[in-house]
Amino acid sequence: MFQTLTIKQKRVFDFYQKYIQENLNSPTYTEVARYLDISPSVVFSHVSKLERLGYLRKSSNWTISLTSSKTKKLPIVGEIACWIPIEVSESIEDEVEIPDSMLWSWNNWYVLRAKWDSMKNAWIFDWDLLIIKHQNTVNDWDIGVVIIQNNFDEKATLKQVFITPKHTVLKPKNSIFEPIYVKNCEIRGKLVWVIRNFN
């Protein structure tokens, strides 16, 4: 799966899995809390986390379902600077498996490895894996993969993007770094998920 669960998360997930398979609907938070001898608020917290990790899915009427166990392999195509832009490198280093439930269809996806800490206030740290949806535009304040073009030179960085009539502003999420103002750049993708590195 996408990320190994803690013992407590796995207990909650296992109960949902067994209950849904046997009853064809989801238990209430109170039922889960009573069975696992924890509070409903703790159940809610675990379910929210399991939803973010792609194990459970919450519907608009608050029922909860299991997500697909199928995964998709995405290529890790290099490093992306979360500081001074670095030269573009696009060679496949490795692959990582991601649950299908976390990726919507008909889009191209790839993975980059974060370098340095100018995005740490967006909870992006050195060596985290970044799941990127390939696209050529982003909305203001999205975090995007940006290629800065200078003559024949291309350098890449990961920043929060804001477009003005005169410049594209690349904003770090760390107060010790200054924004970068560029005239010639290209968007190569939007950050969608972060896989945390705990080493």
Side-chain angles (χ1 to χ4, degrees):
M1 291 295 288
F2 177 66
Q3 181 174 316
T4 303
L5 299 180
T6 66
I7 293 173
K8 292 179 180 179
Q9 289 167 350
K10 191 172 186 309
R11 284 186 71 216
V12 173
F13 175 72
D14 286 348
F15 179 77
Y16 269 94
Q17 189 173 43
K18 185 173 186 295
Y19 189 100
I20 291 170
Q21 288 172 348
E22 291 178 353
N23 298 277
L24 302 180
N25 60 13
S26 61
T28 65
Y29 291 140
T30 302
E31 287 174 316
V32 182
R34 188 183 303 118
Y35 183 85
L36 298 179
D37 195 24
I38 55 179
S39 71
S41 63
V42 171
V43 175
F44 178 82
S45 177
H46 283 311
V47 168
S48 297
K49 181 67 173 179
L50 289 165
E51 184 183 21
R52 289 196 298 274
L53 293 176
Y55 286 82
L56 297 176
R57 183 185 294 116
K58 234 184 275 183
S59 68
S60 57
N61 63 358
W62 290 95
T63 60
I64 295 168
S65 59
L66 303 173
T67 58
S68 169
S69 61
K70 295 180 180 178
T71 61
K72 182 177 294 183
K73 288 186 177 181
L74 298 183
I76 303 173
V77 297
E79 298 176 348
I80 184 74
C82 300
W83 187 37
I84 297 172
I86 59 175
E87 290 185 4
V88 176
S89 173
E90 294 185 354
S91 58
I92 297 177
E93 300 176 358
D94 203 347
E95 293 180 324
V96 60
E97 287 193 50
I98 307 297
D100 281 352
S101 59
M102 301 190 70
L103 308 172
W104 42 100
S105 301
W106 315 115
N107 285 291
N108 292 324
W109 300 84
Y110 62 96
V111 179
L112 293 167
R113 199 180 302 278
K115 290 297 293 178
W116 303 306
D117 63 353
S118 76
M119 299 298 288
K120 71 175 187 177
N121 291 338
W123 297 98
I124 299 168
F125 298 95
D126 199 27
W127 287 100
D128 284 348
L129 293 178
L130 312 175
I131 302 176
I132 308 295
K133 183 165 79 74
H134 180 70
Q135 57 188 61
N136 297 322
T137 61
V138 292
N139 296 322
D140 284 345
W141 306 121
D142 282 344
I143 295 176
V145 175
V146 183
I147 306 298
I148 300 172
Q149 299 159 335
N150 184 11
N151 296 325
F152 298 104
D153 187 30
E154 289 189 342
K155 292 189 176 180
T157 188
L158 184 87
K159 293 288 185 292
Q160 195 173 44
V161 180
F162 183 75
I163 299 173
T164 73
K166 292 185 177 180
H167 300 92
T168 298
V169 183
L170 308 178
K171 189 176 184 298
K173 298 294 287 181
N174 183 338
S175 60
I176 69 172
F177 294 96
E178 296 292 329
I180 300 171
Y181 298 86
V182 296
K183 290 186 176 180
N184 298 315
C185 68
E186 179 184 340
I187 305 297
R188 293 274 179 88
K190 174 184 173 181
L191 174 67
V192 178
W193 298 97
V194 178
I195 303 177
R196 176 71 1 90
N197 172 47
F198 289 101
N199 293 328

